[in-house]
């Protein structure tokens, strides 16, 4: 099994795929909003602390857990528990897989919206429609079904081509493209009259916000979201790593590039809103309602709107690929299906289950909240417990250190076992209490 398993062709390809997995739609609209809402530059203090002290630890754990077992979450958990003479590991491993699969189901609908908006940008429609009215007539309505299908088909084609030939190759195109587009947009946005107010909104710290516990809680949730911790998605990417690959540096680079991309997005989105006197804290509507207004009014808005939504398509599809790989790998592993058959089953099943969500925004919201508030944080907490407690922190560190140029010291065992695992439980509980991060 281990010898037949696919593998990444290079460390660069793996890191770009991991950045693509983490750099989703939330980095485009949620990260900018939270910087502004929770203290501007002050928010970055807890966010960066949590990302690099805890998020990177979680990445190392999930990468190493997958690589050590050469499998996704279900078989990885099963193998660990079998070593302890217990037989319920596979059942436990289903939970993080269900969480990520749930995200895949509703996320592909949003990917469809993004592709639709890219086409609107391509046809120059932003100047002829009312974005608010259009979004209301599109999301949660039958017209979104076609675009949901297109998003699923694109993702499925990439998945079917395998790890190095599909996922890695696609991310080697999409991730550099994403960064290049964001940099070009940043240069343009900063020349807009009034954009300096948006820059100040993002960079002038309100240190009083650090006295509010909710700022720290939101920064913690954002840090886990940024590196896509959920107990299955990054674990399955780690399962395709060779033992010679350096996991600590890969985890650090993943966090660095994802954070840079999120900051670039923030400095494109928020100053744009300020330049045209629109609400910079609009949250999710920022992407589908506020920014089309910006591009309709901006000189050269056709080109820049097209570039922006191309970048968002790259971010959306790269994350969707990671999400889809989790159930696809599970079907391959448990039922010995070919990659193409497993991909087709997951795509069809995800599309059918998602159809009611296409047609009802209330149902969409309830489904998305249930998955993101309960299942995904639960998956992250379970993976941390199984790897660092059941398998053992000492063995976990040994797995992380395989191929590492700078091996982690024994101190990391305490950090991973007690601090990181404790925080994952805290994230789960607080997410439930505050209604999600």
């Amino acid at each position: 099994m281990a010898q037949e398993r696919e593998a990444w062709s290079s460390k660069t390809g793996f890191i770009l795929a991991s950045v693509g997995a983490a750099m989703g739609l939330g980095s485009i609209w949620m990260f900018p909003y939270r910087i502004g809402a929770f203290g501007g530059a002050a928010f970055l203090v807890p966010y960066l602390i949590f990302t690099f002290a805890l998020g990177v630890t979680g990445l190392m754990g999930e990468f190493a857990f997958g690589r050590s077992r050469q499998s996704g979450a279900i078989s990885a958990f099963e193998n660990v528990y079998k070593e302890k003479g217990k037989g319920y590991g596979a059942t436990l491993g289903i939970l993080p897989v269900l969480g990520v699969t749930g995200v895949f189901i509703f996320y592909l609908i949003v990917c469809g919206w993004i592709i639709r908006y890219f086409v609107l940008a391509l046809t120059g429609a932003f100047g002829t429609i009312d974005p608010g009215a259009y979004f209301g007539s599109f999301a949660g309505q039958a017209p979104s079904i076609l675009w949901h299908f297109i998003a699923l088909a694109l993702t499925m084609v990439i998945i079917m081509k395998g790890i190095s030939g599909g996922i890695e190759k696609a991310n080697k195109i999409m991730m550099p493209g994403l960064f290049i587009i964001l940099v070009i947009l940043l240069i343009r946005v900063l020349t807009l009259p009034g954009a300096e107010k948006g820059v100040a909104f993002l960079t002038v710290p309100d240190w009083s916000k650090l006295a509010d516990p909710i700022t720290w809680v939101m920064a913690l949730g954002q840090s886990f979201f940024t590196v896509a911790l959920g107990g299955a998605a990054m674990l399955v990417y780690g399962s395709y790593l060779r033992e010679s690959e350096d996991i600590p540096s890969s985890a650090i680079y993943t966090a660095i590039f994802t954070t840079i991309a999120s900051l670039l997005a923030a400095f494109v989105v928020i100053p744009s809103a300020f330049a045209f006197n629109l609400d910079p804290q609009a949250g999710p509507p920022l992407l589908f309602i506020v920014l089309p207004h910006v591009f309709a009014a901006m000189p050269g808005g056709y080109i820049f709107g097209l570039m922006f939504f191309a970048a968002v398509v790259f971010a959306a599809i790269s994350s969707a690929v990671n999400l889809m790989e989790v159930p696809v790998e599970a079907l391959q592993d448990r039922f010995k299906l070919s990659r193409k058959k497993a991909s087709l089953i997951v795509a069809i099943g995800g599309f059918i289950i998602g159809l009611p969500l296409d047609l009802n925004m209330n149902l969409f919201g309830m489904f998305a909240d249930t998955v993101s508030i309960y299942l995904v944080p639960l998956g992250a907490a379970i993976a941390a417990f199984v790897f660092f407690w059941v398998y053992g922190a000492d063995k976990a560190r040994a797995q992380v250190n395989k191929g590492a140029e700078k091996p982690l010291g024994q101190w990391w065992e305490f950090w991973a076992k007690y601090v990181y695992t404790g925080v994952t439980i805290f994230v789960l509980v607080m997410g439930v209490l505050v209604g999600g991060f």
Side-chain angles (χ1 to χ4, degrees), residues 35-198:
I35 291 180
F38 296 103
F43 177 80
L44 293 176
V45 174
Y47 167 76
L48 292 174
I49 291 172
F50 292 141
T51 297
F52 288 94
L54 295 168
V56 168
T57 299
L59 277 179
M60 291 179 191
E62 292 197 13
F63 288 160
F65 197 2
R67 184 177 69 176
S68 68
R69 299 291 141 173
Q70 290 287 284
S71 68
I74 298 176
S75 287
F77 286 26
E78 180 182 47
N79 293 338
V80 167
Y81 274 90
K82 275 185 177 179
E83 292 174 359
K84 303 293 181 179
K86 299 174 182 177
Y88 49 81
T91 302
L92 199 60
I94 289 173
L95 292 173
V97 171
L98 284 177
V100 173
T101 303
V103 176
F104 160 73
I105 289 169
F106 77 78
Y107 189 82
L108 265 293
I109 294 172
V110 182
C111 288
W113 300 346
I114 291 295
I115 294 171
R116 176 56 180 147
Y117 270 67
F118 173 74
V119 173
L120 288 175
L122 184 65
T123 58
F126 289 153
T128 62
I129 63 171
D130 177 342
Y134 182 83
F135 186 72
S137 69
F138 175 71
Q141 306 294 331
S144 71
I145 294 175
L146 171 63
W147 302 97
H148 177 197
F149 176 81
I150 291 171
L152 260 172
L154 285 173
T155 306
M156 183 184 70
V157 168
I158 294 171
I159 290 286
M160 280 185 171
K161 291 183 177 296
I163 299 303
S164 61
I167 298 174
E168 185 174 348
K169 185 176 290 186
N171 277 285
K172 282 183 175 179
I173 296 171
M174 291 190 291
M175 286 305 97
L178 173 67
F179 277 89
I180 291 169
I181 290 172
L182 287 176
V183 169
I184 293 172
L185 288 171
L186 175 65
I187 294 170
R188 176 66 183 101
V189 165
L190 294 182
T191 65
L192 293 172
E196 67 278 2
K197 297 177 183 178

Side-chain angles (χ1 to χ4, degrees), residues 282-293:
L286 192 65
L287 196 61
F288 298 105
I289 298 173
V290 175
L291 287 176
H293 275 299

